Amino acid sequence: MPINIDRLWKRLERLAAIGADAAGGTSRFTYTPEYVEAKDLVTGWMKEAGLTVRTDAAGNTIGRIDGRNAEAPAVLLGSHIDTVQNGGRFDGPVGVLGAIEAVQLAVESGILFSHPVEVVVFVEEEGGRFGSSLLGSRAMMGQLPEDILQRTDKNGVTLAQAMKGAGLDHERLHDAVRQPADISAYLEMHIEQGTVLDSLGRRVGVVTDIAGPFFLNLTIRGRAGHAGATPMDRRQDALVAAAEIISAAESMARESSSALVMTVGRISVKPGAINIIPGEVVMSVDIRDVDKGRRDNAAAALRHRIGEICLSRGVECRVEELLNVPPVPLSARVIGAIATACRELGLPEKRLVSGAGHDAQVLAQFVDAGMIFLRSKNGISHAPEEWTDKEDIHWGTEVLYRSLLALAK
Amino acid sequence: MPINIDRLWKRLERLAAIGADAAGGTSRFTYTPEYVEAKDLVTGWMKEAGLTVRTDAAGNTIGRIDGRNAEAPAVLLGSHIDTVQNGGRFDGPVGVLGAIEAVQLAVESGILFSHPVEVVVFVEEEGGRFGSSLLGSRAMMGQLPEDILQRTDKNGVTLAQAMKGAGLDHERLHDAVRQPADISAYLEMHIEQGTVLDSLGRRVGVVTDIAGPFFLNLTIRGRAGHAGATPMDRRQDALVAAAEIISAAESMARESSSALVMTVGRISVKPGAINIIPGEVVMSVDIRDVDKGRRDNAAAALRHRIGEICLSRGVECRVEELLNVPPVPLSARVIGAIATACRELGLPEKRLVSGAGHDAQVLAQFVDAGMIFLRSKNGISHAPEEWTDKEDIHWGTEVLYRSLLALAK
């Protein structure tokens, strides 16, 4: 196989060292010095591959090579290099570096594309810093909410301030928007972050649909009180109400026959002392399904249940929507190109859905988009143990390369 | 009534201003500059009342006045001036300032005690800084665990370091220990922090028993994973297990026919991101009852239930005991003195138990101890809304004064 997997693997290792944390993982948040260092390294590799690199108004890094027809809509390959706290080294980088490798091989092979080809590194895909994921792709497709610049990180730094710190002009954020007509297709390679491929012993999968992340933020207000002196029947314990909500969300998702998942990943309690009944709880709920109707019905049912629980416990609950990305089907044309590449390489064609959110789902609402999944060992991601074999990345990048040629040549 | 309630009330107000926080409460943690400032203020009032003041090796502030027989065992009055985070102004200070007022009135009235009388301000009663409450009284009665000096506050400062910062020599901590034979009785006035007196419309109560706080720390370890890509049946979600434990603890306490209460006041989640299944939860459980057997049975039943929940969910749980103070009955002799004082003043004699822990319960294991409770508005404490009427404090301090005369004259 022509892909230079050793070059790609070495780049992965170099990238993983930037933002490496004491717990053995990588913590690299958008617009931080670590992020800028990683972006500069990737920019160098893009240039080495023959791409002309620019940064758009949102901070997305875009490497471009013109084809025979500079006016034709571009074929975009991409992914991200930001991570969650204490994340792994494959989630994101494998798609960015695979894309650079595919373009570099085409250039080294003297292939001239008919369409312009771009490799895009989207900012803040994880939402690890501002709690608002898919930021870069939403900026590109004009899908950011009005108040996005006021969102803050855990230190109270606003997105506007963070952009300024990274040399970006937040007042120009809207300039990142591109017209769908200028994009022919979007193609993203990513680790599965689930167990479907691993349990079947398949290296590569073709994604057909992406579940839409729907994030809620709950603020539950009860009444603080002395843990020793307040009898059980006189309490308005915000955490006991929260516990009932967590259990209810889990039961609803478990009892569903669809791909529905619900997760509470973040919770904090005030005042937060051993001997004080919690007066306030703030927590998140992450709700996903590949079918928008089912997902929205589940969210509505959960909100109804939250209302019942809080009413019965005499506590109040404010529910805010933090993120609502609709689930989307991917493009039959791009799925076809990927499936054909798999067949040509003798790989069994495994179609599957993505439970995780990806920049591809923002693009897919406006342009033809597709995704290649790579096997994740034990389905683990967002943790230092995240792993995808070098050989699987080799096969996946071959599929990416052939799909690119089919779409852009 | 002879008590100078205006002097006492003004001192309460001055004390509340030290460590006043933006949320309208008081945050005054042991050994901090705010604590030292408050202690110095109280020391001045002790001297004004005619007491000779010293600081013991644990940092407890002790004001003493000798009686006719300097060799006789001392009668101790006391409480604390440390607070929880964002606490109220009465919990602790009312007992310290009431004791100073009672002694000052006796001195001003030319009363000569037969026993020495001491007013004690115990450090770290709340455990608000080191999570280990009743520290000062346990130091005095020789009840501190071996590893106490290594306990850390939320900034990682050890108790040993904090003591040094407050001018104390932690290597001499054991010098704070006193012999029970040197203490004739201990008497503490405190707000009820519950609703018994308020719901009955009584100003003052006589405490018969104190529930023992039993604090557990649970570390639940599951497996982190992607919230979108991990199906519900493949999860080891530490927070869902924690939620089930919180609900189980609440049910056990609610269904008990005794004074049993269980509270989870502190919880934290790792990694703590919206889109990551929690891999680890650390949380506290506070278990209390006035009967040691019932309390310990309840704790054992909860630990058994925790084991079942964790087993069924494929997560691990480590359970540590943070604090285990046995519930204690108070002294019939001291209860009698308080009850007599109430009768003399025409106050209805209301006997009740204390759900909250107090330094009195440490002393009560070794010497005759008693407590006077003051009505708490709506039972609220450990919050800025904590309130006890000036008039209730006036009556309570009269009871304290008469009880002191009965015990020490």
Side-chain angles (χ1 to χ4, degrees), chain A residues 193-195 226 228-229 234-235 239 250 263-267 269 272-273 278 313 355-356 381-382, chain B residues 193-195 226-229 234-235 239 250 263-267 269 272-273 278 313 355-356 381-382:
Chain A
Q193 308 178 263
T195 54
H226 193 289
R234 289 182 177 259
R235 296 182 174 209
L239 182 58
E250 199 222 11
T263 310
V264 175
R266 217 160 60 176
I267 187 167
V269 172
R313 293 197 166 273
S381 72
H382 287 184
Chain B
Q193 307 178 266
T195 55
H226 193 289
R234 286 180 178 262
R235 297 183 173 208
L239 183 58
E250 198 222 11
T263 310
V264 175
R266 214 160 63 177
I267 187 167
V269 171
R313 294 198 165 271
S381 71
H382 287 183

mmCIF file of all heavy atoms in Angstrom, chain A residues 193-195 226 228-229 234-235 239 250 263-267 269 272-273 278 313 355-356 381-382, chain B residues 193-195 226-229 234-235 239 250 263-267 269 272-273 278 313 355-356 381-382:
data_model
loop_
_atom_site.group_PDB
_atom_site.id
_atom_site.type_symbol
_atom_site.label_atom_id
_atom_site.label_comp_id
_atom_site.label_asym_id
_atom_site.label_seq_id
_atom_site.Cartn_x
_atom_site.Cartn_y
_atom_site.Cartn_z
ATOM 1 N N GLN A 193 -14.709 5.238 18.666
ATOM 2 C CA GLN A 193 -15.071 5.585 20.055
ATOM 3 C C GLN A 193 -16.220 4.724 20.564
ATOM 4 O O GLN A 193 -16.959 5.140 21.471
ATOM 5 C CB GLN A 193 -15.453 7.075 20.178
ATOM 6 C CG GLN A 193 -14.419 7.998 19.609
ATOM 7 C CD GLN A 193 -14.836 9.456 19.699
ATOM 8 O OE1 GLN A 193 -15.350 10.008 18.734
ATOM 9 N NE2 GLN A 193 -14.609 10.089 20.826
ATOM 10 N N GLY A 194 -16.376 3.574 19.953
ATOM 11 C CA GLY A 194 -17.411 2.637 20.369
ATOM 12 C C GLY A 194 -16.880 1.241 20.079
ATOM 13 O O GLY A 194 -15.732 1.079 19.644
ATOM 14 N N THR A 195 -17.712 0.228 20.313
ATOM 15 C CA THR A 195 -17.204 -1.145 20.275
ATOM 16 C C THR A 195 -17.679 -1.956 19.078
ATOM 17 O O THR A 195 -17.406 -3.149 18.998
ATOM 18 C CB THR A 195 -17.644 -1.887 21.556
ATOM 19 O OG1 THR A 195 -19.066 -1.761 21.678
ATOM 20 C CG2 THR A 195 -16.974 -1.318 22.790
ATOM 21 N N HIS A 226 -28.562 22.012 58.097
ATOM 22 C CA HIS A 226 -27.621 21.215 58.872
ATOM 23 C C HIS A 226 -27.932 19.724 58.709
ATOM 24 O O HIS A 226 -29.060 19.297 58.898
ATOM 25 C CB HIS A 226 -27.700 21.603 60.339
ATOM 26 C CG HIS A 226 -26.579 21.060 61.144
ATOM 27 N ND1 HIS A 226 -26.471 19.720 61.448
ATOM 28 C CD2 HIS A 226 -25.496 21.661 61.675
ATOM 29 C CE1 HIS A 226 -25.374 19.546 62.162
ATOM 30 N NE2 HIS A 226 -24.770 20.710 62.309
ATOM 31 N N GLY A 228 -27.138 17.239 60.476
ATOM 32 C CA GLY A 228 -27.470 16.500 61.686
ATOM 33 C C GLY A 228 -28.810 16.915 62.271
ATOM 34 O O GLY A 228 -29.529 16.104 62.848
ATOM 35 N N ALA A 229 -29.142 18.189 62.109
ATOM 36 C CA ALA A 229 -30.281 18.740 62.851
ATOM 37 C C ALA A 229 -31.556 18.862 62.032
ATOM 38 O O ALA A 229 -32.575 19.295 62.552
ATOM 39 C CB ALA A 229 -29.902 20.105 63.417
ATOM 40 N N ARG A 234 -38.119 17.025 56.584
ATOM 41 C CA ARG A 234 -38.147 18.479 56.461
ATOM 42 C C ARG A 234 -37.096 18.984 55.484
ATOM 43 O O ARG A 234 -36.721 20.144 55.499
ATOM 44 C CB ARG A 234 -37.908 19.125 57.831
ATOM 45 C CG ARG A 234 -39.073 18.968 58.765
ATOM 46 C CD ARG A 234 -38.787 19.669 60.064
ATOM 47 N NE ARG A 234 -39.936 19.587 60.945
ATOM 48 C CZ ARG A 234 -40.807 20.578 61.121
ATOM 49 N NH1 ARG A 234 -40.645 21.721 60.496
ATOM 50 N NH2 ARG A 234 -41.829 20.431 61.922
ATOM 51 N N ARG A 235 -36.584 18.087 54.627
ATOM 52 C CA ARG A 235 -35.492 18.477 53.741
ATOM 53 C C ARG A 235 -35.972 18.837 52.340
ATOM 54 O O ARG A 235 -36.963 18.312 51.868
ATOM 55 C CB ARG A 235 -34.507 17.317 53.635
ATOM 56 C CG ARG A 235 -33.860 17.001 54.953
ATOM 57 C CD ARG A 235 -32.841 15.883 54.818
ATOM 58 N NE ARG A 235 -32.154 15.737 56.099
ATOM 59 C CZ ARG A 235 -30.911 15.306 56.247
ATOM 60 N NH1 ARG A 235 -30.209 14.963 55.187
ATOM 61 N NH2 ARG A 235 -30.370 15.226 57.437
ATOM 62 N N LEU A 239 -29.422 17.505 45.991
ATOM 63 C CA LEU A 239 -28.651 16.376 45.448
ATOM 64 C C LEU A 239 -29.485 15.099 45.406
ATOM 65 O O LEU A 239 -29.326 14.282 44.500
ATOM 66 C CB LEU A 239 -27.368 16.159 46.268
ATOM 67 C CG LEU A 239 -26.455 15.039 45.772
ATOM 68 C CD1 LEU A 239 -26.024 15.267 44.314
ATOM 69 C CD2 LEU A 239 -25.229 14.896 46.663
ATOM 70 N N GLU A 250 -30.995 7.320 33.159
ATOM 71 C CA GLU A 250 -30.388 6.034 32.810
ATOM 72 C C GLU A 250 -31.458 5.004 32.459
ATOM 73 O O GLU A 250 -31.334 4.284 31.463
ATOM 74 C CB GLU A 250 -29.517 5.519 33.965
ATOM 75 C CG GLU A 250 -28.537 4.457 33.489
ATOM 76 C CD GLU A 250 -28.411 3.289 34.434
ATOM 77 O OE1 GLU A 250 -29.221 3.163 35.374
ATOM 78 O OE2 GLU A 250 -27.499 2.481 34.223
ATOM 79 N N THR A 263 -26.491 10.678 29.391
ATOM 80 C CA THR A 263 -25.334 10.688 30.280
ATOM 81 C C THR A 263 -25.297 11.966 31.094
ATOM 82 O O THR A 263 -25.467 13.050 30.548
ATOM 83 C CB THR A 263 -24.025 10.640 29.451
ATOM 84 O OG1 THR A 263 -24.110 9.578 28.503
ATOM 85 C CG2 THR A 263 -22.810 10.452 30.347
ATOM 86 N N VAL A 264 -25.077 11.833 32.389
ATOM 87 C CA VAL A 264 -24.753 12.998 33.215
ATOM 88 C C VAL A 264 -23.245 12.935 33.472
ATOM 89 O O VAL A 264 -22.772 12.027 34.153
ATOM 90 C CB VAL A 264 -25.534 13.003 34.546
ATOM 91 C CG1 VAL A 264 -25.090 14.162 35.432
ATOM 92 C CG2 VAL A 264 -27.034 13.090 34.261
ATOM 93 N N GLY A 265 -22.503 13.861 32.883
ATOM 94 C CA GLY A 265 -21.046 13.803 32.961
ATOM 95 C C GLY A 265 -20.460 14.817 33.917
ATOM 96 O O GLY A 265 -19.310 14.709 34.319
ATOM 97 N N ARG A 266 -21.287 15.832 34.268
ATOM 98 C CA ARG A 266 -20.769 16.937 35.074
ATOM 99 C C ARG A 266 -21.762 17.234 36.176
ATOM 100 O O ARG A 266 -22.966 17.330 35.920
ATOM 101 C CB ARG A 266 -20.643 18.161 34.163
ATOM 102 C CG ARG A 266 -19.449 19.022 34.447
ATOM 103 C CD ARG A 266 -19.099 19.901 33.293
ATOM 104 N NE ARG A 266 -20.160 20.825 32.911
ATOM 105 C CZ ARG A 266 -20.029 21.759 31.961
ATOM 106 N NH1 ARG A 266 -18.884 21.865 31.302
ATOM 107 N NH2 ARG A 266 -21.019 22.545 31.649
ATOM 108 N N ILE A 267 -21.293 17.361 37.393
ATOM 109 C CA ILE A 267 -22.184 17.709 38.496
ATOM 110 C C ILE A 267 -21.394 18.485 39.537
ATOM 111 O O ILE A 267 -20.228 18.178 39.797
ATOM 112 C CB ILE A 267 -22.843 16.451 39.108
ATOM 113 C CG1 ILE A 267 -23.916 16.814 40.146
ATOM 114 C CG2 ILE A 267 -21.806 15.527 39.731
ATOM 115 C CD1 ILE A 267 -24.799 15.638 40.552
ATOM 116 N N VAL A 269 -22.034 20.693 43.468
ATOM 117 C CA VAL A 269 -22.957 20.863 44.581
ATOM 118 C C VAL A 269 -22.559 22.083 45.399
ATOM 119 O O VAL A 269 -21.381 22.304 45.631
ATOM 120 C CB VAL A 269 -22.891 19.612 45.489
ATOM 121 C CG1 VAL A 269 -23.679 19.815 46.757
ATOM 122 C CG2 VAL A 269 -23.410 18.397 44.754
ATOM 123 N N GLY A 272 -21.486 22.214 49.395
ATOM 124 C CA GLY A 272 -20.449 21.200 49.162
ATOM 125 C C GLY A 272 -19.630 20.851 50.383
ATOM 126 O O GLY A 272 -18.431 20.643 50.278
ATOM 127 N N ALA A 273 -20.268 20.792 51.564
ATOM 128 C CA ALA A 273 -19.562 20.370 52.779
ATOM 129 C C ALA A 273 -20.200 19.078 53.286
ATOM 130 O O ALA A 273 -21.393 18.839 53.064
ATOM 131 C CB ALA A 273 -19.658 21.449 53.851
ATOM 132 N N PRO A 278 -27.192 19.645 50.593
ATOM 133 C CA PRO A 278 -26.967 20.446 49.387
ATOM 134 C C PRO A 278 -28.150 21.347 49.055
ATOM 135 O O PRO A 278 -29.286 20.897 48.949
ATOM 136 C CB PRO A 278 -26.763 19.388 48.295
ATOM 137 C CG PRO A 278 -26.220 18.201 49.037
ATOM 138 C CD PRO A 278 -26.966 18.211 50.345
ATOM 139 N N ARG A 313 -40.378 16.827 45.328
ATOM 140 C CA ARG A 313 -39.361 17.061 46.349
ATOM 141 C C ARG A 313 -39.302 18.514 46.815
ATOM 142 O O ARG A 313 -38.438 18.873 47.612
ATOM 143 C CB ARG A 313 -37.985 16.629 45.836
ATOM 144 C CG ARG A 313 -37.889 15.138 45.637
ATOM 145 C CD ARG A 313 -36.468 14.658 45.523
ATOM 146 N NE ARG A 313 -36.425 13.216 45.663
ATOM 147 C CZ ARG A 313 -36.335 12.572 46.819
ATOM 148 N NH1 ARG A 313 -36.263 13.250 47.941
ATOM 149 N NH2 ARG A 313 -36.304 11.256 46.849
ATOM 150 N N GLY A 355 -22.461 7.289 17.224
ATOM 151 C CA GLY A 355 -23.126 7.806 18.422
ATOM 152 C C GLY A 355 -22.502 9.125 18.848
ATOM 153 O O GLY A 355 -23.158 9.987 19.421
ATOM 154 N N ALA A 356 -21.226 9.282 18.564
ATOM 155 C CA ALA A 356 -20.509 10.505 18.912
ATOM 156 C C ALA A 356 -20.796 11.595 17.891
ATOM 157 O O ALA A 356 -21.115 11.306 16.745
ATOM 158 C CB ALA A 356 -19.015 10.223 18.973
ATOM 159 N N SER A 381 -12.459 5.902 24.498
ATOM 160 C CA SER A 381 -11.900 7.166 24.017
ATOM 161 C C SER A 381 -12.052 8.197 25.116
ATOM 162 O O SER A 381 -12.569 7.889 26.182
ATOM 163 C CB SER A 381 -12.629 7.632 22.752
ATOM 164 O OG SER A 381 -13.928 8.082 23.070
ATOM 165 N N HIS A 382 -11.571 9.404 24.861
ATOM 166 C CA HIS A 382 -11.612 10.477 25.862
ATOM 167 C C HIS A 382 -10.921 10.039 27.148
ATOM 168 O O HIS A 382 -11.332 10.390 28.251
ATOM 169 C CB HIS A 382 -13.062 10.894 26.166
ATOM 170 C CG HIS A 382 -13.687 11.675 25.042
ATOM 171 N ND1 HIS A 382 -14.939 12.211 25.118
ATOM 172 C CD2 HIS A 382 -13.203 12.023 23.826
ATOM 173 C CE1 HIS A 382 -15.219 12.848 23.983
ATOM 174 N NE2 HIS A 382 -14.175 12.743 23.198
ATOM 175 N N GLN B 193 -30.257 24.651 65.489
ATOM 176 C CA GLN B 193 -30.016 24.228 64.109
ATOM 177 C C GLN B 193 -31.048 23.210 63.649
ATOM 178 O O GLN B 193 -30.792 22.402 62.755
ATOM 179 C CB GLN B 193 -28.605 23.619 63.951
ATOM 180 C CG GLN B 193 -27.513 24.524 64.466
ATOM 181 C CD GLN B 193 -26.139 23.891 64.350
ATOM 182 O OE1 GLN B 193 -25.657 23.285 65.283
ATOM 183 N NE2 GLN B 193 -25.506 24.027 63.195
ATOM 184 N N GLY B 194 -32.198 23.223 64.279
ATOM 185 C CA GLY B 194 -33.284 22.325 63.912
ATOM 186 C C GLY B 194 -34.575 23.049 64.225
ATOM 187 O O GLY B 194 -34.564 24.215 64.648
ATOM 188 N N THR B 195 -35.707 22.380 64.032
ATOM 189 C CA THR B 195 -37.000 23.076 64.098
ATOM 190 C C THR B 195 -37.831 22.728 65.333
ATOM 191 O O THR B 195 -38.976 23.169 65.435
ATOM 192 C CB THR B 195 -37.835 22.725 62.848
ATOM 193 O OG1 THR B 195 -37.918 21.301 62.777
ATOM 194 C CG2 THR B 195 -37.206 23.263 61.588
ATOM 195 N N HIS B 226 -16.846 7.508 26.031
ATOM 196 C CA HIS B 226 -17.534 8.532 25.246
ATOM 197 C C HIS B 226 -19.037 8.441 25.468
ATOM 198 O O HIS B 226 -19.625 7.379 25.310
ATOM 199 C CB HIS B 226 -17.195 8.354 23.770
ATOM 200 C CG HIS B 226 -17.598 9.524 22.944
ATOM 201 N ND1 HIS B 226 -18.915 9.821 22.681
ATOM 202 C CD2 HIS B 226 -16.869 10.491 22.349
ATOM 203 C CE1 HIS B 226 -18.971 10.910 21.945
ATOM 204 N NE2 HIS B 226 -17.741 11.336 21.722
ATOM 205 N N ALA B 227 -19.637 9.570 25.808
ATOM 206 C CA ALA B 227 -21.057 9.588 26.142
ATOM 207 C C ALA B 227 -21.941 9.296 24.935
ATOM 208 O O ALA B 227 -23.087 8.865 25.094
ATOM 209 C CB ALA B 227 -21.430 10.946 26.732
ATOM 210 N N GLY B 228 -21.439 9.525 23.737
ATOM 211 C CA GLY B 228 -22.259 9.272 22.556
ATOM 212 C C GLY B 228 -22.060 7.875 22.006
ATOM 213 O O GLY B 228 -22.975 7.268 21.462
ATOM 214 N N ALA B 229 -20.850 7.358 22.140
ATOM 215 C CA ALA B 229 -20.485 6.141 21.423
ATOM 216 C C ALA B 229 -20.507 4.882 22.286
ATOM 217 O O ALA B 229 -20.234 3.799 21.791
ATOM 218 C CB ALA B 229 -19.091 6.320 20.805
ATOM 219 N N ARG B 234 -23.078 -1.188 27.981
ATOM 220 C CA ARG B 234 -21.645 -1.428 28.069
ATOM 221 C C ARG B 234 -20.960 -0.423 28.992
ATOM 222 O O ARG B 234 -19.763 -0.209 28.925
ATOM 223 C CB ARG B 234 -21.009 -1.317 26.681
ATOM 224 C CG ARG B 234 -21.321 -2.507 25.798
ATOM 225 C CD ARG B 234 -20.676 -2.331 24.446
ATOM 226 N NE ARG B 234 -20.932 -3.487 23.618
ATOM 227 C CZ ARG B 234 -20.068 -4.489 23.451
ATOM 228 N NH1 ARG B 234 -18.891 -4.462 24.031
ATOM 229 N NH2 ARG B 234 -20.380 -5.507 22.687
ATOM 230 N N ARG B 235 -21.745 0.217 29.853
ATOM 231 C CA ARG B 235 -21.192 1.284 30.687
ATOM 232 C C ARG B 235 -20.845 0.808 32.097
ATOM 233 O O ARG B 235 -21.504 -0.084 32.634
ATOM 234 C CB ARG B 235 -22.197 2.429 30.796
ATOM 235 C CG ARG B 235 -22.479 3.070 29.467
ATOM 236 C CD ARG B 235 -23.416 4.254 29.597
ATOM 237 N NE ARG B 235 -23.505 4.920 28.288
ATOM 238 C CZ ARG B 235 -23.766 6.196 28.123
ATOM 239 N NH1 ARG B 235 -23.991 6.967 29.166
ATOM 240 N NH2 ARG B 235 -23.801 6.726 26.919
ATOM 241 N N LEU B 239 -21.067 7.642 38.276
ATOM 242 C CA LEU B 239 -22.059 8.576 38.816
ATOM 243 C C LEU B 239 -23.448 7.936 38.933
ATOM 244 O O LEU B 239 -24.200 8.237 39.857
ATOM 245 C CB LEU B 239 -22.127 9.851 37.966
ATOM 246 C CG LEU B 239 -23.090 10.927 38.474
ATOM 247 C CD1 LEU B 239 -22.748 11.361 39.899
ATOM 248 C CD2 LEU B 239 -23.106 12.125 37.535
ATOM 249 N N GLU B 250 -30.978 7.851 51.404
ATOM 250 C CA GLU B 250 -32.153 8.645 51.763
ATOM 251 C C GLU B 250 -33.324 7.752 52.182
ATOM 252 O O GLU B 250 -33.984 8.000 53.192
ATOM 253 C CB GLU B 250 -32.572 9.546 50.593
ATOM 254 C CG GLU B 250 -33.472 10.683 51.056
ATOM 255 C CD GLU B 250 -34.634 10.947 50.136
ATOM 256 O OE1 GLU B 250 -34.893 10.140 49.229
ATOM 257 O OE2 GLU B 250 -35.304 11.974 50.348
ATOM 258 N N THR B 263 -26.906 11.929 54.932
ATOM 259 C CA THR B 263 -26.753 13.059 54.017
ATOM 260 C C THR B 263 -25.506 12.888 53.163
ATOM 261 O O THR B 263 -24.440 12.579 53.690
ATOM 262 C CB THR B 263 -26.596 14.380 54.808
ATOM 263 O OG1 THR B 263 -27.629 14.457 55.777
ATOM 264 C CG2 THR B 263 -26.622 15.581 53.890
ATOM 265 N N VAL B 264 -25.655 13.102 51.861
ATOM 266 C CA VAL B 264 -24.476 13.231 50.996
ATOM 267 C C VAL B 264 -24.344 14.715 50.698
ATOM 268 O O VAL B 264 -25.192 15.296 50.017
ATOM 269 C CB VAL B 264 -24.626 12.416 49.697
ATOM 270 C CG1 VAL B 264 -23.441 12.665 48.768
ATOM 271 C CG2 VAL B 264 -24.741 10.931 50.024
ATOM 272 N N GLY B 265 -23.292 15.333 51.240
ATOM 273 C CA GLY B 265 -23.149 16.780 51.120
ATOM 274 C C GLY B 265 -22.095 17.198 50.122
ATOM 275 O O GLY B 265 -22.059 18.333 49.675
ATOM 276 N N ARG B 266 -21.225 16.232 49.778
ATOM 277 C CA ARG B 266 -20.080 16.559 48.929
ATOM 278 C C ARG B 266 -19.971 15.502 47.849
ATOM 279 O O ARG B 266 -20.032 14.306 48.142
ATOM 280 C CB ARG B 266 -18.827 16.520 49.801
ATOM 281 C CG ARG B 266 -17.786 17.528 49.423
ATOM 282 C CD ARG B 266 -16.816 17.806 50.552
ATOM 283 N NE ARG B 266 -16.045 16.645 50.943
ATOM 284 C CZ ARG B 266 -15.089 16.683 51.867
ATOM 285 N NH1 ARG B 266 -14.792 17.816 52.477
ATOM 286 N NH2 ARG B 266 -14.447 15.596 52.194
ATOM 287 N N ILE B 267 -19.818 15.913 46.603
ATOM 288 C CA ILE B 267 -19.624 14.956 45.516
ATOM 289 C C ILE B 267 -18.783 15.603 44.432
ATOM 290 O O ILE B 267 -18.935 16.787 44.145
ATOM 291 C CB ILE B 267 -20.987 14.471 44.955
ATOM 292 C CG1 ILE B 267 -20.801 13.340 43.932
ATOM 293 C CG2 ILE B 267 -21.780 15.609 44.338
ATOM 294 C CD1 ILE B 267 -22.097 12.606 43.586
ATOM 295 N N VAL B 269 -16.791 14.554 40.473
ATOM 296 C CA VAL B 269 -16.788 13.586 39.384
ATOM 297 C C VAL B 269 -15.553 13.790 38.521
ATOM 298 O O VAL B 269 -15.181 14.919 38.250
ATOM 299 C CB VAL B 269 -18.053 13.809 38.511
ATOM 300 C CG1 VAL B 269 -18.002 12.986 37.248
ATOM 301 C CG2 VAL B 269 -19.301 13.484 39.294
ATOM 302 N N GLY B 272 -15.394 14.716 34.496
ATOM 303 C CA GLY B 272 -16.233 15.888 34.723
ATOM 304 C C GLY B 272 -16.507 16.719 33.485
ATOM 305 O O GLY B 272 -16.566 17.936 33.558
ATOM 306 N N ALA B 273 -16.686 16.059 32.325
ATOM 307 C CA ALA B 273 -17.042 16.784 31.101
ATOM 308 C C ALA B 273 -18.422 16.322 30.654
ATOM 309 O O ALA B 273 -18.822 15.185 30.905
ATOM 310 C CB ALA B 273 -16.020 16.515 29.993
ATOM 311 N N PRO B 278 -18.780 9.413 33.537
ATOM 312 C CA PRO B 278 -17.920 9.557 34.715
ATOM 313 C C PRO B 278 -17.173 8.262 35.059
ATOM 314 O O PRO B 278 -17.786 7.205 35.201
ATOM 315 C CB PRO B 278 -18.903 9.932 35.835
ATOM 316 C CG PRO B 278 -20.026 10.626 35.118
ATOM 317 C CD PRO B 278 -20.167 9.859 33.834
ATOM 318 N N ARG B 313 -23.270 -3.104 39.262
ATOM 319 C CA ARG B 313 -22.926 -2.151 38.204
ATOM 320 C C ARG B 313 -21.497 -2.304 37.706
ATOM 321 O O ARG B 313 -21.045 -1.530 36.867
ATOM 322 C CB ARG B 313 -23.140 -0.719 38.697
ATOM 323 C CG ARG B 313 -24.593 -0.419 38.962
ATOM 324 C CD ARG B 313 -24.868 1.060 39.028
ATOM 325 N NE ARG B 313 -26.288 1.322 38.929
ATOM 326 C CZ ARG B 313 -26.945 1.496 37.791
ATOM 327 N NH1 ARG B 313 -26.293 1.459 36.645
ATOM 328 N NH2 ARG B 313 -28.233 1.719 37.782
ATOM 329 N N GLY B 355 -29.310 16.706 67.028
ATOM 330 C CA GLY B 355 -28.905 15.948 65.840
ATOM 331 C C GLY B 355 -27.533 16.376 65.377
ATOM 332 O O GLY B 355 -26.782 15.599 64.779
ATOM 333 N N ALA B 356 -27.200 17.624 65.621
ATOM 334 C CA ALA B 356 -25.898 18.151 65.218
ATOM 335 C C ALA B 356 -24.824 17.735 66.220
ATOM 336 O O ALA B 356 -25.118 17.485 67.387
ATOM 337 C CB ALA B 356 -25.971 19.671 65.137
ATOM 338 N N SER B 381 -29.469 26.695 59.577
ATOM 339 C CA SER B 381 -28.131 27.068 60.027
ATOM 340 C C SER B 381 -27.165 26.762 58.899
ATOM 341 O O SER B 381 -27.566 26.267 57.849
ATOM 342 C CB SER B 381 -27.737 26.301 61.284
ATOM 343 O OG SER B 381 -27.499 24.948 60.971
ATOM 344 N N HIS B 382 -25.902 27.086 59.120
ATOM 345 C CA HIS B 382 -24.884 26.859 58.086
ATOM 346 C C HIS B 382 -25.260 27.592 56.803
ATOM 347 O O HIS B 382 -25.013 27.111 55.703
ATOM 348 C CB HIS B 382 -24.685 25.360 57.813
ATOM 349 C CG HIS B 382 -23.962 24.657 58.927
ATOM 350 N ND1 HIS B 382 -23.625 23.336 58.868
ATOM 351 C CD2 HIS B 382 -23.503 25.104 60.111
ATOM 352 C CE1 HIS B 382 -22.996 22.986 59.990
ATOM 353 N NE2 HIS B 382 -22.909 24.059 60.755
#
